[in-house]
Amino acid sequence: MSSAQTNNSPADFTFYPLLWLAVCFALGILAANFLAFDWRFFLILCLIFGILTFVFRKQKTALIFLSIAFVAVGALYFQVEKQSISSNRLKKLYDESQIKSGDPIEIEGVIPGKPELAVGGFFLELKSEKAIYKGENFDVSGKIRLFAPVADEQIAEEYEQLDLRHGSRIRVACNLRREDNYLNPGVASRKEILDQKDIDATATIKSPLLVEKIRETNVFAPIAWIYEQRQNLIVDFRDNFSSSTAGVLIASLLGNRYFLDKQTSEIFREGGTFHVLVISGLHITFIGGLTLLFLRFFTRKRFWQFVFASGFLWAYSLAVGAEVPVVRATIMFTILLFSQVIYRRGTLLNALGACGLVLLVWRPEDLFSQSFHLTFVSVAAIVATAFPLIENLRAIGDWKPSAETPFPPRVPFWLKRFCEMLYWRERVWEIEAKRNIWSANLFKTPYLKWLEAKGLQGVLRYSFEALLVSAIVQIWLLPLLVVYFHRVSIASVLLNLWVGIFIALESFTAFFAVSFAQISENLALPFIYLTEIFNWFLLLLPRFFVENDWASFRLPVYSGAMKAVYILYFLPVLILTILLNRWKPFALISDSRFQIPDSEPQISNFKFQISNSKFVFSSSRFLSSASAVCLLLFFITIIFHPFSAPRADGRLHVDFLDVGQGDAALIRFPNGETLLVDGGGRVNYNKTFIRKDDEESELFEPDAASIGEAVVSEFLWETGYSQIDYILATHADADHIQGLTNVAKNFRVRTAIFGRTPLKDADFAALYEVLQKRNVEIVKLGRGDVLTFDEIKIEILYPEKDESPQAVSDNNNSLVLRVIFGEREFLLTGDIEKEAESDLVQTPEFLAADVVKVAHHGSRTSSTEEFVRATRAEYAVIPIGRESRFGHPHAEVVGRWKNSGAKILTTGERGTISISTNGKDLRVETFLP
């Protein structure tokens, strides 16, 4: 490397123009999203600074004008893109309430891909063109996703007769839905998730009779063939392997996650390796790398390698469904691979900038999407940090005297020896030494001979680089992993390497197995067994870490101004990355021993260079040290989150969460302690699918997020909690207790409180097992018991205490609590029904309350006239989803509470209902106004 090259700064705008322009373009999108300016304003800015750039093009100020112009271009493009959404786009029609979510509608359109197989049915994506709604015909646009359940052979035959395929034009009657299910802080918006997947609405097809195939349309035959082969592979994987192995193969190779079972998925999630099961940048890079290795057997020309590798990847992307993350990853790989074809200095970072520009021009709204952030930051970590670091380490370890590097690297002795152990190749040096006209004795680390003799150097080198890349990516991703997943995996650096090796081996043997299965089952059998063995090893180490709670831990997030810590974290990361790219371990300019000037003017100038370079060196070292310290402080602030939980404010807070058909209420006492009463649960919490074929019947539990994980835990993390002091289950019904199991797994819990402990109940037993494993204290309460939290008193009004393991814990045996703070009372009634209410009204003085949590979601089996009258409630809170399959709340129950003078609040309509008091006042806030 020449001295001229060495002195160039990687931060120079002209050196990485595409990278800087991409940053400016992204800043423009951010500005347009948060600033309420019309698109004309940004157009004027764009023109003004574009002209200034041209006028001053030969001056340094032109770069400033060009940057501002590109910011304006990004803002203008984003504004135009937002306003270009068609007026007949389905998502717009639903969001503007021109069509009501859940209403019957007929949609006509074309299937743009093959129906996607799933356990218990299949999915269809439909590119909509026409609709009939309330008897009116009109044109529409947008993509919808439909699920067709296949419950028996007759339904399967009816769908087979329809022969739905790529290019089929169909008309389907359904109830399209586009709405947010759970309205709580921290819970992901379902509409936003659909938008990120470019889907306008979803529905379930109730019967094949509601689907009419109109005709076939012309399709590109090769694409249809690719879809057909992918479908066949899914069937082959399911027929030849266990559900766990088939699920891993179908997800990781074919992009279909519907066959992943819950247990396997959780092992990957907790181990921090779930990205392996998602077709993303990792897969595209891995498959692209294998393709390049294969192509090198046939051609060494980079251009042809680029053409065939990128062509194969694009075909693969289409085969796995061409979803947005897959296409995004393929675009990035194609651009980065092309950058290596032209092979110019600074190409990788420029290529990264080109990736950003292309992706944001394609979908500017992706700048705010989870998937884009994770993919782009991962690639940036590898390109900007990992590659330069590894390149320098290789150069240090492989150093030998040459015209470019006549002297050893200026690095610590231990680093030099470590790099030599990994990268020095004695045999290569011996061959080169024989060719040289000069001779030299090089003293390298003494461990080299032993490593080479054992053949371990290559294994150690590749393992180190893989672990290093994984660690760097994890460091870059830390804030995103905490904000998006509330999870930090302490084992993922190691497990990524383990999983990567075995999933590759499993994939190869699986392809051999299904290939030989077409010829003979006996030929395929050894490869089937080998694939199952590799899958067992694949899960072995992650399962070991997960079962011992060594895999990962969960974290809350900061709110308000403290959210800035997640952005500020990247500042020292970027500074260290820039310094790393400037690091030249073989630079000679700062050492006078390396250059002898000939004259006094040269000596004077040389001394100035030495002085200046030493100043730069010391400044860089100070900056790197300061940045490392800042990074460590931000890391500690995020991991240990000392300021995340709400501070005690002397008020009693009760938050009734929207968990659909279920109960969950968080009580925060004036001293800051917390009590979670119930945790919600899935309506179809016990539903499983059974895989059947001619030889076996295998129980299958789908990978579906529970209410406790996706709603209750998300709310608690968003609020800032990593510990919940007390959890209380009013009774053992799944819609009350199931979510507490997730809370007990995800949070530190001091004490669990129950009225009854029915160990034979599956949901209670699951919770009890987690509590026992984590050594959580268990307390049983009954009528007459009183809990005291400083000034707060909680009276247990019902039922009688029963410590028998066979005790019944049904609706009528729900714990009934009255929370008293000063002059204010809250009555929490669980799911009690008429019988329990009849018992309670015998002592009406204990029922008076300002706020009542209405029993059993407003069912007519509860809220008798006498009970309602006895409470004299000011507010009646009904925890229920927007729509209840049981018809809750029943009209007559709502009428009784209204007639009593209570104001009705339902979680399905208002989301989280937050009520607080200082013992005298009463403040009510709702998630939706």
Side-chain angles (χ1 to χ4, degrees), residues 34 115 167 193 319 333 507 549 561 673 680-681 690 692 712 769 856 910:
F34 294 109
I193 293 173
F333 186 90
S507 301
D549 287 333
E673 288 186 301
I690 298 178
K692 294 182 179 180
V712 180
E769 181 182 356
H856 204 191
R910 310 294 289 274

Side-chain angles (χ1 to χ4, degrees), residues 397-454:
D398 196 40
W399 175 81
K400 57 185 74 71
S402 66
E404 292 80 14
T405 57
F407 296 97
R410 301 176 66 254
V411 297
F413 180 78
W414 66 266
L415 179 59
K416 185 190 302 182
R417 287 291 181 253
F418 178 75
C419 293
E420 289 170 355
M421 183 176 66
L422 293 176
Y423 299 111
W424 177 254
R425 292 173 293 177
E426 186 67 26
R427 292 179 183 176
V428 174
W429 164 245
E430 290 174 356
I431 294 171
E432 290 185 5
K434 291 176 182 178
R435 297 173 180 171
N436 294 330
I437 60 174
W438 49 269
S439 63
N441 291 324
L442 300 179
F443 299 95
K444 301 294 181 180
T445 177
Y447 302 109
L448 275 172
K449 292 183 179 179
W450 183 83
L451 288 172
E452 288 183 334
K454 299 294 183 181

Side-chain angles (χ1 to χ4, degrees), residues 6 253 302 318 434 436 492 552 643 667 718-719 723 907:
T6 304
L253 295 176
R302 296 191 178 199
L318 291 171
K434 291 176 182 178
N436 294 330
S492 61
S552 62
F643 314 112
I667 300 176
E718 180 69 19
T719 310
Q723 172 176 311
T907 55

Side-chain angles (χ1 to χ4, degrees), residues 349 381-393 577 580-581 583:
L349 285 178
I382 295 171
V383 170
T385 304
F387 282 178
L389 178 58
I390 290 173
E391 184 179 356
N392 275 327
L393 294 179
T577 297
L580 174 63
N581 279 267
W583 179 40

Side-chain angles (χ1 to χ4, degrees), residues 484-686:
Y484 292 145
F485 307 116
H486 305 285
R487 188 193 299 277
V488 172
S489 176
I490 53 181
S492 61
V493 173
L494 171 63
L495 294 181
N496 277 320
L497 179 60
W498 176 275
V499 168
I501 292 171
F502 281 101
I503 207 165
L505 294 171
E506 178 180 339
S507 301
F508 281 120
T509 55
F511 274 116
F512 280 114
V514 296
S515 299
F516 283 121
Q518 309 302 318
I519 305 170
S520 166
E521 289 185 5
N522 291 329
L523 284 175
L525 205 56
F527 292 100
I528 292 174
Y529 286 143
L530 193 56
T531 303
E532 294 289 352
I533 291 171
F534 283 142
N535 191 72
W536 184 82
F537 274 107
L538 171 70
L539 298 174
L540 177 64
L541 192 61
R543 182 184 285 117
F544 173 76
F545 276 88
V546 168
E547 289 177 351
N548 288 280
D549 287 333
W550 298 341
S552 62
F553 53 93
R554 313 306 295 269
L555 291 175
V557 295
Y558 288 105
S559 58
M562 279 300 294
K563 276 188 179 290
V565 71
Y566 303 112
I567 298 174
L568 294 174
Y569 175 92
F570 286 105
L571 184 60
V573 170
L574 292 173
I575 293 174
L576 289 171
T577 297
I578 292 171
L579 294 175
L580 174 63
N581 279 267
R582 295 173 65 99
W583 179 40
K584 307 299 177 186
F586 296 95
L588 307 181
I589 191 171
S590 62
D591 199 324
S592 59
R593 294 175 302 167
F594 301 156
Q595 298 182 23
I596 307 289
D598 296 327
S599 62
E600 289 186 7
Q602 288 175 324
I603 291 173
S604 177
N605 182 54
F606 183 66
K607 287 181 178 179
F608 172 76
Q609 289 179 354
I610 293 174
S611 176
N612 184 59
S613 63
K614 285 182 177 180
F615 172 76
V616 171
F617 177 75
S618 60
S619 299
S620 296
R621 188 158 65 175
F622 171 77
L623 185 58
S624 62
S625 300
S627 298
V629 170
C630 288
L631 180 60
L632 180 61
L633 290 176
F634 285 130
F635 181 88
I636 292 171
T637 305
I638 291 173
I639 295 296
F640 294 99
H641 55 88
F643 314 112
S644 66
R647 306 268 82 81
D649 61 0
R651 298 181 66 85
L652 173 67
H653 298 261
V654 183
D655 297 317
F656 299 95
L657 307 189
D658 175 16
V659 292
Q661 183 78 27
D663 273 21
L666 176 68
I667 300 176
R668 177 157 57 96
F669 299 110
N671 63 1
E673 288 186 301
T674 51
L675 166 65
L676 180 65
V677 180
D678 291 330
R682 287 186 295 167
V683 175
N684 295 324
Y685 63 95
N686 237 357

Side-chain angles (χ1 to χ4, degrees), residues 321-354:
E323 293 188 354
V324 172
V326 181
V327 175
R328 183 188 298 122
T330 307
I331 290 173
M332 295 187 75
F333 186 90
T334 303
I335 294 174
L336 291 170
L337 186 58
F338 180 74
S339 73
Q340 298 307 292
V341 172
I342 60 177
Y343 199 67
R344 294 179 180 170
R345 187 170 180 269
T347 297
L348 274 179
L349 285 178
N350 260 328
L352 182 65

Side-chain angles (χ1 to χ4, degrees), residues 199-240:
I199 295 171
D200 289 45
T202 62
T204 297
I205 304 173
K206 296 180 180 179
S207 168
L209 300 176
L210 300 175
V211 181
E212 176 189 355
K213 184 174 180 179
I214 300 173
R215 65 175 184 275
E216 298 290 353
T217 60
N218 294 328
V219 296
F220 185 49
I223 298 297
W225 181 84
I226 289 174
Y227 286 148
E228 191 68 34
Q229 298 312 306
R230 176 173 179 264
Q231 203 85 315
N232 292 338
L233 270 177
I234 291 176
V235 174
D236 288 341
F237 285 151
R238 292 196 67 204
D239 289 344
N240 288 289

